[in-house]
Amino acid sequence: MSGLMIFILWSKPKFREDSRYILFAHMLINDSVHLMGTIVLYLFALAFLHMSKAICSILVLISAVTYNNTPLNLAVISLERYVAIRFPLRHTEIATRRRTAIAIGLMWFISSFNILIEIFYIMALDPHFFTAPIFCIREQMLIEEWQITFYSAASFFFLVVVALTILYIYISITLVAKSASTNKDSANKARKTVLLHMFQLGLCITSLLFALFDALIAKTATALYVPLQFLNFFCLLVLPRCLSPLIYGLRDSAIRPLFLSYFRCNPTSLK
């Protein structure tokens, strides 16, 4: 479904020029990459496969960066909707393709900053660290206790800042919608979109519970460990990312008819 929506967004010039749809396409690609990386790591864990720490660090880097990108992308899309309602006449001037590309680049830089610090720290401390084989999970890539604390604190701070940003934008759009000088229908649609982003952010936060539930599942009987672990993995890591194209893409009046037409293998029915 994500692949089909990416194809639709790429095939229509209107979507390629609109910053809103560019950011949505970026979210779809980012979440798809995150899902693939997460599933690969999960399959390696099921097979008890060992690999070099260099390859493991690349997979962990991709998984961590794409995970951090999702809430940032939601915040930027919410900000774009706020600009569209607050400054409707200057929206196309402010939200240009170039500035959207810069915003996406900043997302990747911010998301990868703390992970790259950890990698460079490990390389400086032990240059031969990445040559040894390892069972590829993130905890195996950490050599100091402070790294775990730093990662948890950075993730919590990261999500809190994004949540407060989206909440502020939601309140601002609500106030704008009540004024007499604005298009109330557009403002109400933007408010519902930002509220939807808050729900998606909540889905992202559920993934933080994965490690907690995994530790609880590890204390259960051996016969139930594997199915419960898979259920935990599917519900908290896979399902929230799969819901994005459904709860956001299919809600859009421009994407929905195109998606349904292609999904029914009848694209010529659209005018």
Side-chain angles (χ1 to χ4, degrees), residues 26-163:
H26 173 257
M27 182 174 69
L28 288 173
I29 295 172
N30 179 81
D31 285 358
S32 298
V33 172
H34 178 77
L35 274 176
M36 287 188 289
T38 302
I39 291 173
V40 167
L41 288 174
Y42 184 76
L43 292 176
F44 285 166
L46 285 180
F48 294 99
L49 183 66
H50 287 68
M51 64 182 71
S52 71
K53 291 180 180 179
I55 298 176
C56 180
S57 64
I58 294 174
L59 293 175
V60 170
L61 176 65
I62 293 173
S63 178
V65 172
T66 50
Y67 170 79
N68 292 335
N69 269 341
T70 298
L72 273 181
N73 208 92
L74 293 174
V76 174
I77 295 179
S78 299
L79 182 61
E80 187 273 335
R81 287 294 84 200
Y82 173 76
V83 171
I85 299 303
R86 188 67 179 82
F87 309 103
L89 299 180
R90 298 184 55 200
H91 173 248
T92 55
E93 177 187 344
I94 297 173
T96 62
R97 287 186 62 184
R98 181 175 178 274
R99 289 179 177 174
T100 304
I102 293 174
I104 292 174
L106 286 175
M107 283 185 229
W108 283 87
F109 174 76
I110 295 172
S111 299
S112 60
F113 185 73
N114 62 328
I115 310 297
L116 291 175
I117 288 177
E118 292 181 4
I119 292 177
F120 288 139
Y121 174 78
I122 294 171
M123 290 177 63
L125 201 64
D126 184 4
H128 303 290
F129 179 83
F130 292 98
T131 58
I134 192 177
F135 181 65
C136 191
I137 57 175
R138 178 178 174 80
E139 288 73 14
Q140 294 291 329
M141 299 298 298
L142 305 178
I143 59 177
E144 298 287 349
E145 186 68 26
W146 67 265
Q147 291 177 290
I148 300 176
T149 304
F150 175 75
Y151 176 75
S152 301
S155 298
F156 179 77
F157 176 78
F158 191 73
L159 290 172
V160 167
V161 169
V162 172

Side-chain angles (χ1 to χ4, degrees), residues 196-213:
L196 186 64
H197 291 168
M198 294 176 67
F199 174 71
Q200 288 179 272
L201 183 64
L203 292 178
C204 294
I205 294 175
T206 59
S207 61
L208 296 176
L209 301 175
F210 174 78
L212 175 62
F213 287 156

